[in-house]
């Protein structure tokens, strides 16, 4: 018996695996501080919890239409319009079972075997695996070189071949926390406006941006880009609804129609109760979302930034999402570093290897201030020893 060739490089998600390992240690009574997965420490706002219970009690327990129930689709379209004035209707959106599937469907809908997909490094750990599951070939390019040119052509543009089918963009970024600057967006606009290439733009952290930084979607730059961009968002991060598994996708009506067909064949529909809860989130939780955003920003400004500034370590300036991504001393193996840190100091972090950036480490600050302070003290102890 053999499994499919496309699974030959498949490994479990490093973030999910390390999170599960840390949670199992906590359950076994070990005093582990778990700053692995990007999972808000907040409960969903009360209006969402009430809607969840009412949905179950009032019989919202049946299949819905495959792409999500109509009332929710309208709210999702409004959500995208509110953020960036996309001028979209319910036909431009669909709801799916979490942000991960929302990333996977556009790849599955567009990639033929052997097609190349450009991924900017550092990347969220699941993108390369998703591309490979679709039979595609990931092609990596360092985000830090976005503005680099050779013979007057951007290095990124030089990577494009007749096999390039898509590029995955992720701003605000996981793991690096950067937000595309106006200059970054101008470069991407210059390269991709006239190309026959899909832009799969994971904007799951669009509502979590700090200081003077602003989230601008690549789709909003011009009509040609808008036509070939698929945007991913969802309920997990901004609304603290990770376990509900609700993702949103925005795109042109044709690609949305195709992905809805895939969904009707593979999933049926997203969880009906979660859909009711997501509708309540979009209608009623705006203030709480802003409160949670402010709380992440406070942790960033009062705990994370001062610590890393003082540490003398190299790190990406966190501008959005809720991660800080820092560099270890030259030659340090980040996987061994994280294993030793967990063993000796009981602090769980994710090695940069999982994000295509060996020698770096990701820390999630979606944790209480007390946990963060204690976690950073342990990191300092480990560095001093
Ligand atoms: N997206 C989060 C993270 O990067 C949650 C875990 C996952 O799905 O990868 O930690």
């Amino acid at each position: 018996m053999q499994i499919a060739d496309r699974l030959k490089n498949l490994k479990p998600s490093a973030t999910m695996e390390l999170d599960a390992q840390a949670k199992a240690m906590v359950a076994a009574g070990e005093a582990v501080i778990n700053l692995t997965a990007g999972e808000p420490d907040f409960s969903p706002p009360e209006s969402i919890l009430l809607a969840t219970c009412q949905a179950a009690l009032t019989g919202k327990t049946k299949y819905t239409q495959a792409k999500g129930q109509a009332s929710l689709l309208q709210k999702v379209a409004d959500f995208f319009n509110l953020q960036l004035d996309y001028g979209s209707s319910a036909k431009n959106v669909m709801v799916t079972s979490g942000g991960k599937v929302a990333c996977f469907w556009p790849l599955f809908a567009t990639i033929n075997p052997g097609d190349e997909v450009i991924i900017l490094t550092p990347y969220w750990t699941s993108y390369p695996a998703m591309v490979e599951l679709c039979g595609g070939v990931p092609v990596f390019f360092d985000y830090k070189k976005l503005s680099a040119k050779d013979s007057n052509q951007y290095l990124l543009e030089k990577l494009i071949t007749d096999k390039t089918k898509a590029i995955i963009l992720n701003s605000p970024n996981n793991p690096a926390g950067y937000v595309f600057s106006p200059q970054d967006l101008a470069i991407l606009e210059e390269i991709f406006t006239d190309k026959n290439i899909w832009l799969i733009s994971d904007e799951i952290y669009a509502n979590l941006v700090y200081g003077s930084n602003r989230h601008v979607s690549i789709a909003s730059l011009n009509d040609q880009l808008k036509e070939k961009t698929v945007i991913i968002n969802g309920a997990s991060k901004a609304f603290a609804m990770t376990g509900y598994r609700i993702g949103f996708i925005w795109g042109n009506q044709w690609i949305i129609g195709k992905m809805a067909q895939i969904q009707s064949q593979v999933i049926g529909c997203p969880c009906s109760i979660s859909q009711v809860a997501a509708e309540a989130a979009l209608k009623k939780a705006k203030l709480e979302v802003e409160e949670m955003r402010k709380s992440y920003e406070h942790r960033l400004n009062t705990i994370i930034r001062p610590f890393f500034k003082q540490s003398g370590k190299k790190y990406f300036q966190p501008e959005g999402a809720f991660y800080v991504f820092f560099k270890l001393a030259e030659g340090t193996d980040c996987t061994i570093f994280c294993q030793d840190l967990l063993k000796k100091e009981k602090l769980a972090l994710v090695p940069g290897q999982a994000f295509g950036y060996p020698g770096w480490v990701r820390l999630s600050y979606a944790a209480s201030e007390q946990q963060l302070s204690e976690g950073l003290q342990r990191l300092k102890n480990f560095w001093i020893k």
Side-chain angles (χ1 to χ4, degrees):
M1 298 292 278
Q2 284 185 333
I3 53 156
D5 291 346
R6 65 179 174 278
L7 301 193
K8 70 176 187 287
N9 292 333
L10 187 66
K11 295 194 193 83
S13 154
T15 43
M16 297 298 291
E17 210 174 34
L18 290 167
D19 181 49
Q21 186 191 351
K23 281 178 176 158
M25 288 172 79
V26 172
E30 294 193 58
V32 169
I33 296 205
N34 179 12
L35 306 180
T36 58
E39 178 162 44
D41 53 313
F42 299 103
S43 290
E46 201 175 291
S47 55
I48 299 174
L49 298 175
L50 282 172
T52 309
C53 301
Q54 274 160 10
L57 293 170
T58 56
K60 303 281 175 2
T61 51
K62 309 285 187 196
Y63 296 135
T64 67
Q65 74 169 314
K67 71 194 287 244
Q69 54 198 14
S71 54
L72 173 58
L73 292 176
Q74 191 51 56
K75 284 285 152 213
V76 173
D78 295 345
F79 170 75
F80 281 110
N81 286 337
L82 238 180
Q83 281 186 27
L84 288 155
D85 191 19
Y86 294 116
S88 36
S89 76
K91 290 190 177 149
N92 294 107
V93 298
M94 64 182 282
V95 176
T96 186
S97 302
K100 279 181 150 152
V101 178
C103 291
F104 187 69
W105 281 166
L107 292 167
F108 195 69
T110 57
I111 304 304
N112 285 319
D115 282 350
E116 293 171 3
V117 177
I118 299 175
I119 299 176
L120 300 182
T121 57
Y123 52 71
W124 176 52
T125 193
S126 294
Y127 298 145
M130 287 182 182
V131 168
E132 286 176 354
L133 284 173
C134 295
V137 181
V139 176
F140 300 105
F141 185 80
D142 192 336
Y143 162 73
K144 285 188 172 157
K145 298 196 178 128
L146 195 59
S147 58
K149 280 185 166 180
D150 180 28
S151 324
N152 232 12
Q153 197 187 20
Y154 287 110
L155 295 188
L156 174 59
E157 190 164 9
K158 283 178 180 270
L159 269 193
I160 296 173
T161 70
D162 54 6
K163 283 191 172 297
T164 308
K165 183 57 80 64
I167 178 166
I168 303 179
L169 303 172
N170 174 218
S171 167
N173 181 264
N174 174 5
Y178 66 74
V179 173
F180 282 150
S181 65
Q183 192 205 3
D184 292 341
L185 289 164
I187 293 168
L188 293 169
E189 181 175 19
E190 190 179 326
I191 298 175
F192 289 98
T193 294
D194 297 326
K195 302 277 190 312
N196 196 14
I197 293 173
W198 289 99
L199 294 108
I200 298 173
S201 186
D202 180 353
E203 300 177 15
I204 188 81
Y205 299 98
N207 288 82
L208 300 175
V209 173
Y210 313 118
S212 59
N213 298 289
R214 292 286 164 267
H215 169 69
V216 176
S217 173
I218 186 88
S220 67
L221 300 185
N222 66 49
D223 284 348
Q224 285 145 286
L225 288 172
K226 185 174 176 181
E227 193 54 25
K228 53 195 169 202
T229 300
V230 177
I231 303 174
I232 288 108
N233 208 313
S236 293
K237 310 294 183 181
F239 298 94
M241 293 172 68
T242 46
Y244 283 77
R245 310 312 300 133
I246 288 288
F248 308 142
I249 315 181
W250 178 95
N252 72 49
Q253 293 187 21
W254 172 78
I255 188 80
I256 290 288
K258 291 290 166 204
M259 292 187 288
Q261 284 173 10
I262 302 170
Q263 181 149 297
S264 77
Q265 296 285 10
V266 179
I267 290 183
C269 66
C271 167
S272 59
I273 294 173
S274 295
Q275 288 190 59
V276 175
E279 199 175 325
L282 293 173
K283 277 187 192 155
K284 298 180 183 164
K286 209 171 156 207
L287 282 180
E288 290 94 330
V289 167
E290 179 53 12
E291 285 306 310
M292 290 190 271
R293 189 201 66 77
K294 280 190 190 149
S295 170
Y296 299 129
E297 185 164 39
H298 186 258
R299 298 168 197 188
L300 175 61
N301 289 336
T302 59
I303 303 175
I304 300 293
R305 262 196 234 284
F307 177 88
F308 282 96
K309 216 169 154 186
Q310 216 219 344
S311 75
K313 306 282 171 196
K314 207 168 156 190
Y315 61 103
F316 279 81
Q317 275 308 325
E319 300 168 333
F322 35 51
Y323 308 101
V324 59
F325 198 49
F326 59 92
K327 194 174 186 312
L328 301 176
E330 213 51 54
T332 310
D333 181 315
C334 58
T335 305
I336 294 175
F337 177 92
C338 289
Q339 280 167 358
D340 286 351
L341 183 64
L342 182 56
K343 205 161 127 200
K344 296 190 182 134
E345 291 291 337
K346 307 262 186 265
L347 172 63
L349 304 179
V350 185
Q353 187 81 42
F355 309 106
Y357 241 55
W360 290 65
V361 171
R362 189 190 79 174
L363 178 152
S364 163
Y365 56 89
S368 72
E369 296 194 4
Q370 189 258 329
Q371 289 262 301
L372 287 176
S373 300
E374 172 63 23
L376 291 177
Q377 186 56 51
R378 292 183 190 191
L379 183 57
K380 198 169 164 184
N381 295 345
F382 188 71
W383 270 331
I384 290 168
K385 273 176 200 163

